[in-house]
Amino acid sequence: MTQNQPSRRRFLGTIGLGALVSSAGCLGDVSDVVPSDDEQRPLQLTISDAGGSLRESYVTDLSQTRPERDEAAFEAIRNGTEYTTQYGTPFGSYPEDPVYTRHDGTYYRLGSVVIDEVETTHPVLRLTEASANEETASGDAAETVSAEQLPEVDAAAVRVAQMTARARGNEGGAPWGLVRRGGYVYRSDDVVEGSELVSGDAPASVTYRERRYAVEVTQETFHESVYRATAEPVAEAPDGMEAVLRAQFVESRFDREDLSTAAIDIVEQSAASEYTEAHPYSEGYRKVLRAMHERPYLDGNVAKDAGVEEDGPTILRYNGEYYDYRLRFLTRSSSGN
């Protein structure tokens, strides 16, 4: 999904700015209506415009995507030809994050299926953080190079591998979506050909952001999936495509008339800036959370419940328009209401 710039003007125009102004006094300070309990984190709701239609965000023009092979894959499918890839899914599509496109008035869902596996060998770069005064293995300072001096393929590899090196022994871990086998895997031949770190005369260590790391590159066996690209027609008209996207991505739908006055005030303040309360929530906040189907947040032990803090915004439909909303817990010192 493309990230839209938050725009609350249309939202406030839809639900009435006057109600927001008139409600400013009755919302008051959250501390006046909820108990002061340091164990309960304030829950903040923010709402922003998600754009005029879901098609604007989810229907992709393949001519504008970065890998040119996406267009080639789609054309092959339309011509009845099998198109396969290795090292990555066609169209960059995954079941939880599908890609849609339009051709000759028909909308397609693009994806892939695994049809085979291939045993192959890839170089793996691992870095180990070295002491600032520690000499390189040969004692030759010339064997240390800056990541900025390396080819871009190696500079990118160092950026990933150093995250794992710095995470060892520390809380928080590393971005495991990028890291594989505790380092960075050079997965394609063109990347390997452009690398200095993979070559036989690679430097013994590299520096990155004023830290020095010993370089280790090993050749390891991988079993890679082979993907076949797919394209399924899902709609013949814009309204039909919009219905498909609503069914898949819109989490909740409600109108202004479905809410109480207090709940409307909270929605409007969330759209104007943000709204924050700590548990136990006011009845107005509870109505908003129920309308959004966010019932786990109504649990008094919600701060310890798993799975309530999701990544990224969630889509709701309010008065026929789409909005992104985000719920997140704050520490009391960071809450402003």
Side-chain angles (χ1 to χ4, degrees):
M1 176 178 177
T2 57
Q3 295 299 320
N4 297 289
Q5 292 295 325
S7 172
R8 299 180 173 89
R9 183 179 305 166
R10 179 158 58 85
F11 187 96
L12 294 173
T14 301
I15 58 182
L17 181 59
L20 172 63
V21 175
S22 64
S23 66
C26 56
L27 283 173
D29 190 337
V30 173
S31 61
D32 294 334
V33 294
V34 297
S36 177
D37 182 355
D38 291 337
E39 295 182 358
Q40 295 295 344
R41 295 177 293 172
L43 179 64
Q44 183 182 87
L45 169 64
T46 56
I47 297 175
S48 59
D49 193 342
S53 72
L54 297 177
R55 299 190 309 279
E56 296 173 11
S57 297
Y58 289 98
V59 177
T60 301
D61 182 353
L62 294 182
S63 67
Q64 303 298 318
T65 59
R66 189 172 180 181
E68 294 181 0
R69 62 178 179 270
D70 286 355
E71 285 186 278
F74 187 44
E75 182 179 1
I77 295 170
R78 298 198 313 273
N79 294 333
T81 303
E82 184 175 274
Y83 189 96
T84 62
T85 65
Q86 194 178 331
Y87 310 136
T89 59
F91 314 113
S93 174
Y94 296 90
E96 69 279 6
D97 188 20
V99 174
Y100 296 93
T101 195
R102 185 185 186 189
H103 177 74
D104 287 345
T106 298
Y107 292 89
Y108 295 84
R109 175 172 174 150
L110 309 178
S112 64
V113 292
V114 178
I115 61 170
D116 201 355
E117 72 170 6
V118 174
E119 182 177 308
T120 186
T121 301
H122 297 309
V124 181
L125 169 68
R126 296 184 181 90
L127 301 179
T128 304
E129 190 166 1
S131 168
N133 297 322
E134 182 181 350
E135 294 184 355
T136 59
S138 66
D140 186 355
E143 293 196 4
T144 298
V145 301
S146 168
E148 298 176 352
Q149 298 174 293
L150 294 170
E152 178 55 33
V153 293
D154 287 327
V158 169
R159 285 194 292 270
V160 173
Q162 61 87 27
M163 297 178 186
T164 305
R166 295 188 64 179
R168 294 187 185 105
N170 297 321
E171 295 182 1
W176 302 116
L178 298 175
V179 172
R180 294 189 67 189
R181 300 194 181 185
Y184 179 88
V185 181
Y186 292 82
R187 301 185 67 194
S188 62
D189 292 340
D190 57 339
V191 170
V192 172
E193 291 174 1
S195 169
E196 290 183 6
L197 294 182
V198 175
S199 65
D201 57 350
S205 61
V206 297
T207 57
Y208 181 83
R209 293 185 177 177
E210 300 181 352
R211 292 174 181 258
R212 191 162 63 83
Y213 300 91
V215 173
E216 177 191 11
V217 177
T218 59
Q219 299 290 332
E220 301 185 13
T221 299
F222 289 79
H223 293 85
E224 300 283 359
S225 298
V226 178
Y227 302 93
R228 184 180 69 227
T230 62
E232 297 292 333
V234 295
E236 297 294 335
D239 288 347
M241 186 69 243
E242 198 70 18
V244 169
L245 295 172
R246 280 199 304 272
Q248 184 160 359
F249 296 109
V250 176
E251 295 293 332
S252 58
R253 312 172 194 206
F254 55 96
D255 296 321
R256 192 172 190 269
E257 61 187 22
D258 299 327
L259 302 177
S260 65
T261 300
I264 292 171
D265 290 344
I266 290 171
V267 170
E268 293 182 358
Q269 180 163 332
S270 301
S273 55
E274 69 273 334
Y275 183 81
T276 306
E277 273 193 35
H279 195 277
Y281 310 124
S282 65
E283 184 56 31
Y285 206 10
R286 295 175 67 86
K287 285 184 179 295
V288 172
L289 294 173
R290 283 194 292 266
M292 293 178 172
H293 305 309
E294 296 287 0
R295 290 178 178 270
Y297 285 96
L298 300 176
D299 184 350
N301 198 35
V302 68
K304 297 180 181 178
D305 286 349
V308 296
E309 295 186 86
E310 301 177 356
D311 294 331
T314 306
I315 299 176
L316 65 85
R317 198 176 193 204
Y318 183 81
N319 280 350
E321 304 290 344
Y322 300 113
Y323 301 93
D324 291 329
Y325 75 88
R326 186 188 298 271
L327 286 163
R328 67 188 185 105
F329 286 113
L330 307 176
T331 59
R332 280 195 173 273
S333 60
S334 64
S335 61
N337 284 8

